[in-house]
Amino acid sequence: MSQHIALAIIGGTGVYSLATLDDVETRHLDTPYGVPSGPVRVGTVLGRRVAFLARHGEDHALPPHRINYRANLAALKSLGATRVLALNTVGGITERFGPRALACPDQLIDYTWGRISTLCEEGGQVLHVDFGEPYAPMLRHKILAAARVTGVKVVDGGCYGVTQGPRLETRAEIARLRRDGCDLVGMTGMPEAGLARELGLDYACLAIVANWAAGCGGGEEITMAEVLANVQAASAGMAELVGELARG
């Protein structure tokens, strides 16, 4: 596998592997920030070299606040990746973002706390990166174009509110997020997006809506069985979309 990595993918809850990855190499990496969440699987999708990393670990052992986001991104960059597609499993708040929808958000609000959120933690050079557009516009454009080519329905835009987790939110918290302008809620969008910008990586999110957020749907209790079933259904066209994106 001498060709460069066309695309790196970080999988979220319910996405622990890339079934269409062929000729797989397993890379156990270390970085200046420690070890990533697990091995990086490097292989080919439709002839393009792709790297995949499960954000929570392949056994979902890492809660959102314990993920070493810096190591994950640094590991992918060390393999030569320049573009990162983040798959984030989220809850839907506003009407366009119901369960089983796929969305490519263009904004986020960070409600997390206590996470290492910069490469500057140890001192040295301070990076004041421009973060007005938290997702790389050109990569977002390519994701949406790949969706059109493959016939995968993706909602264009939306604001992702990132909460601390691992518990789900109260109805009052979701009402606050709605007032703040959030359309989606999840637990892993930050500091990942900010760190990707500091590392100079083109980074964008494809959000998989697994459930209505508290108080937004019919009021039923959210179960992991429901979440995983919805993730699987929403991901039906993911392989084709990823393959088309890797080609672009």
Side-chain angles (χ1 to χ4, degrees), residues 80-103:
T82 59
R83 301 189 300 164
V84 178
L85 172 64
L87 304 180
N88 295 87
T89 301
V90 300
I93 297 175
T94 55
E95 291 68 21
R96 291 193 300 157
F97 302 91
R100 304 193 176 188
L102 290 176

Side-chain angles (χ1 to χ4, degrees), residues 121-138:
E121 185 74 14
E122 291 78 17
Q125 182 182 8
V126 178
L127 301 172
H128 295 292
V129 295
D130 187 328
F131 204 52
E133 300 291 339
Y135 302 113
M138 183 55 68

Side-chain angles (χ1 to χ4, degrees), residues 73-74 76-77 81-84 136 196-203:
L73 290 162
L76 296 174
K77 184 172 182 177
T82 59
R83 301 189 300 164
V84 178
R197 183 63 50 85
E198 289 189 352
L199 282 164
L201 296 167
D202 287 336
Y203 174 97

Side-chain angles (χ1 to χ4, degrees), residues 25 97 121 124 154 160 190 227 231 233 243:
E25 290 182 359
F97 302 91
E121 185 74 14
V154 174
Y160 175 2
M190 284 292 285
V227 166
V231 169

